[in-house]
Amino acid sequence: MRDKTAPVKKKDSTAEEGPKKVQRRKHRVEDPRARHRRHEAMEAMKMLDHLRRDFTEPLKSMEYFYDLFERVYCNGEVLHSGKPTVGTLCIQIPYEIIYAIDAVPVRLCNGFHTDEQSGGEFMPAKSCSLVKATLGMLKQKDIPAVGKLDFMVHPTTCDQKTKAITLIEEMDYDVYHMEFPRVKESEESREYWRRTVRKFTKDLSRGLGRKITRGRLKEAITKVGRAQLAYHRLNELRKSDPVPILGKDIFLITNAFFFDDIERWTEMTLKVCEEVEKRAKEGFNAAGRRSPRILYTGSPPIFPNLKLPYMIEQADAVIVADESCSANRLFNDMVSVDEWFMYDMVDAVADRYLKGCTCPIFTKNDDRKRRLKELCEQYAVDGVIYQSFAGCQVYEMEQRSIQQAMEKLGIPMLYVETDYSPGQGGQLSTRIEAFVESLKVRKRRKNHQRGEVS
């Protein structure tokens, strides 16, 4: 037995183990594409976190849309496998024709600052952020939600996108051009656009090797019509006072329409409608007690660049209506068919995309002013916030006439010029907060004049 009082000799571990092996960590070099994806995912997650957590009592039915954006932009999930995909560079491409060929439309307008920086190498410094970001995304050859494209369509709407097509073609994309008229009041431009859409129908069918039939086109018109009705049902609820849904949720829903399965999108939007209708009956107020009601117009908020809607509603205002191509304008006038024959349906689809459009690319903007006036009246708007991306000349040029139209209505308007940079947040939020405070004071004064106690 060992004597327990004797000191225990320590083992010389160094002698037993021998010389230590120097273990070197393997350093994995991240390739540029993976780094780009990671930066996009961080940007997307940051905005989703803000939209989810910075507002009290969020809608439970919105979880589908938060998860959808996380799956697509953070986890890189590909939707629509097995079907051909058609990339569209503007809302003027008729979705009904694409669905009738059993293909999937995917809008390529992009809202990532990461992509804006990447696309900046192709464009002059003061160019539209949306166009730069779209080029940056296409350069990566990795389209969110679909991976790759089978067909890409560009209508000759805005000048910068039209000129950027050469650059896109140099990236080895085949682009189909649709000639879009800049005057919509004349019969000649209406006929011109109808011919363009007829040709597009034939060329798309030939290009994808899929036949379009009368029955399929009728079904596609019905399918898009159901989506429009779901949106309008939700949009009507924004007229309520108090407002039962925030504008940031509306923008997220309409942005999901860019790439989601249309039938699933319609079903989930109807679920949001049901929850919001229930809230409206209970008198639920999604905003503050004195929150001014805002009409948003101008350059489109595109995920994750929802910073302006976010700032507006963080400043205690609520967006009750909008006039932009990433939301309201997407779902305006429905297709009106007199005879359910193939060419009648194609012409009716063409009319929907020309007559109902209030884009500032047209020579006259009377229709847009009329539309804004209607929205101000129908949604009891207290003020208008007009966003223009720096370098987006049509929106920049048109703001003066819109300002004059709003002055005649007695509605204050704030014009802001932005880009996708996160750096301008402080100055921008200060301007928005000041505008919202001035609207509150104005509203309070009006209420006092009416003898109401606010």
Side-chain angles (χ1 to χ4, degrees):
M1 288 181 65
R2 182 175 68 86
D3 182 4
K4 291 182 181 177
T5 58
V8 178
K9 286 184 180 178
K10 290 185 179 177
K11 290 182 179 178
D12 187 350
S13 58
T14 310
E16 285 185 6
E17 290 173 8
K20 279 188 178 176
K21 290 181 180 176
V22 179
Q23 292 188 349
R24 291 182 180 173
R25 275 187 193 172
K26 287 182 181 176
H27 182 66
R28 195 179 65 179
V29 178
E30 192 177 34
D31 66 71
R33 191 170 176 176
R35 186 166 59 249
H36 190 90
R37 274 186 179 177
R38 181 168 56 81
H39 286 173
E40 280 189 338
M42 287 164 61
E43 213 178 318
M45 187 51 82
K46 187 177 177 185
M47 179 50 71
L48 286 173
D49 279 348
H50 280 310
L51 298 178
R52 252 178 171 154
R53 300 195 169 91
D54 292 356
F55 298 88
T56 56
E57 300 188 68
L59 288 159
K60 288 178 184 170
S61 50
M62 280 301 297
E63 277 305 310
Y64 167 77
F65 293 98
Y66 290 123
D67 288 343
L68 176 68
F69 279 90
E70 190 172 332
R71 279 160 43 210
V72 169
Y73 289 110
C74 302
N75 303 334
E77 185 173 323
V78 173
L79 312 173
H80 316 295
S81 56
K83 286 192 176 184
T85 53
V86 179
T88 64
L89 285 160
C90 185
I91 60 166
Q92 301 311 125
I93 310 299
Y95 273 31
E96 292 84 350
I97 305 294
I98 299 171
Y99 283 124
I101 293 174
D102 199 24
V104 179
V106 180
R107 187 161 164 197
L108 301 175
C109 297
N110 186 286
F112 281 88
H113 180 53
T114 304
D115 287 319
E116 182 193 18
Q117 288 179 303
S118 175
E121 67 179 273
F122 301 103
M123 302 280 288
K126 192 166 182 181
S127 304
C128 174
S129 296
L130 189 153
V131 180
K132 284 192 278 189
T134 304
L135 285 174
M137 175 190 69
L138 292 171
K139 180 190 165 192
Q140 298 300 318
K141 302 284 177 70
D142 185 16
I143 314 298
V146 293
K148 65 178 184 61
L149 297 170
D150 297 292
F151 205 91
M152 190 191 296
V153 195
H154 161 251
T156 52
T157 46
C158 97
D159 288 343
Q160 291 191 34
K161 278 185 184 171
T162 301
K163 296 305 293 180
I165 292 305
T166 309
L167 303 169
I168 294 172
E169 287 174 334
E170 286 172 3
M171 296 175 190
D172 291 333
Y173 288 99
D174 289 326
V175 184
Y176 182 88
H177 305 278
M178 287 184 79
E179 295 179 43
F180 192 77
R182 297 295 181 94
V183 177
K184 69 173 183 176
E185 291 82 8
S186 71
E187 189 57 34
E188 289 82 3
S189 60
R190 184 187 181 196
E191 185 53 38
Y192 180 78
W193 176 239
R194 281 181 167 187
R195 283 205 304 270
T196 301
V197 175
R198 285 177 212 149
K199 184 174 183 300
F200 168 68
T201 305
K202 288 178 186 170
D203 292 344
L204 183 66
S205 176
R206 196 179 299 120
L208 295 179
R210 294 186 171 217
K211 193 177 177 184
I212 183 168
T213 64
R214 192 176 69 158
R216 280 185 181 173
L217 182 54
K218 186 177 179 182
E219 189 184 324
I221 290 172
T222 308
K223 192 188 291 184
V224 175
R226 278 200 297 267
Q228 287 176 290
L229 288 173
Y231 169 78
H232 286 298
R233 182 174 155 190
L234 186 60
N235 204 35
E236 279 293 302
L237 292 164
R238 301 167 84 188
K239 291 179 181 173
S240 306
D241 187 10
V243 189
I245 183 168
L246 295 173
K248 53 104 182 172
D249 289 330
I250 298 286
F251 281 118
L252 203 66
I253 291 170
T254 55
N255 269 244
F257 188 77
F258 289 9
F259 57 83
D260 196 9
D261 175 86
I262 186 169
E263 287 173 323
R264 193 169 50 227
W265 182 91
T266 305
E267 182 191 341
M268 293 302 160
T269 302
L270 288 173
K271 286 193 175 178
V272 177
C273 283
E274 287 168 13
E275 189 178 353
V276 176
E277 279 166 353
K278 191 178 171 195
R279 283 185 165 194
K281 282 179 189 169
E282 293 167 353
F284 179 85
N285 189 0
R289 186 165 162 247
R290 296 189 179 89
S291 299
R293 300 167 67 92
I294 300 293
L295 165 61
Y296 175 94
T297 187
S299 300
I302 293 185
F303 184 83
N305 181 46
L306 299 181
K307 69 180 176 187
L308 201 58
Y310 172 78
M311 284 179 186
I312 292 168
E313 297 194 325
Q314 278 289 293
D316 197 25
V318 55
I319 300 171
V320 294
D322 64 85
E323 193 278 324
S324 82
C325 64
S326 66
N328 191 298
R329 214 183 288 158
L330 264 174
F331 301 97
N332 274 345
D333 301 354
M334 297 177 72
V335 176
S336 175
V337 183
D338 294 326
E339 301 285 344
W340 292 94
F341 298 113
M342 176 64 86
Y343 283 110
D344 290 308
M345 285 190 281
V346 172
D347 286 352
V349 168
D351 286 350
R352 180 208 155 198
Y353 284 84
L354 180 65
K355 289 198 294 187
C357 183
T358 51
C359 182
I361 54 109
F362 292 112
T363 50
K364 292 183 180 178
N365 68 347
D366 295 346
D367 216 18
R368 184 163 176 237
K369 284 191 276 191
R370 178 195 55 75
R371 179 76 182 137
L372 288 169
K373 186 182 173 187
E374 276 178 7
L375 290 171
C376 285
E377 290 168 353
Q378 291 171 358
Y379 290 81
V381 165
D382 295 309
V384 175
I385 294 185
Y386 187 122
Q387 172 179 240
S388 175
F389 292 145
C392 180
Q393 291 178 340
V394 287
Y395 276 117
E396 286 174 340
M397 290 176 73
E398 207 162 85
Q399 65 91 14
R400 187 182 293 272
S401 64
I402 300 297
Q403 177 92 51
Q404 289 167 351
M406 292 301 111
E407 282 173 6
K408 284 181 185 173
L409 290 176
I411 295 180
M413 184 178 108
L414 175 69
Y415 172 68
V416 291
E417 189 179 284
T418 67
D419 53 28
Y420 288 0
S421 164
Q424 60 177 174
Q427 190 186 13
L428 196 56
S429 63
T430 303
R431 286 189 64 202
I432 290 168
E433 283 165 12
F435 181 67
V436 170
E437 282 306 310
S438 72
L439 293 179
K440 283 182 180 176
V441 171
R442 195 170 180 270
K443 196 173 179 178
R444 195 159 51 237
R445 196 178 298 146
K446 271 188 176 179
N447 288 341
H448 278 299
Q449 285 170 356
R450 288 178 193 149
E452 296 174 13
V453 179
S454 64

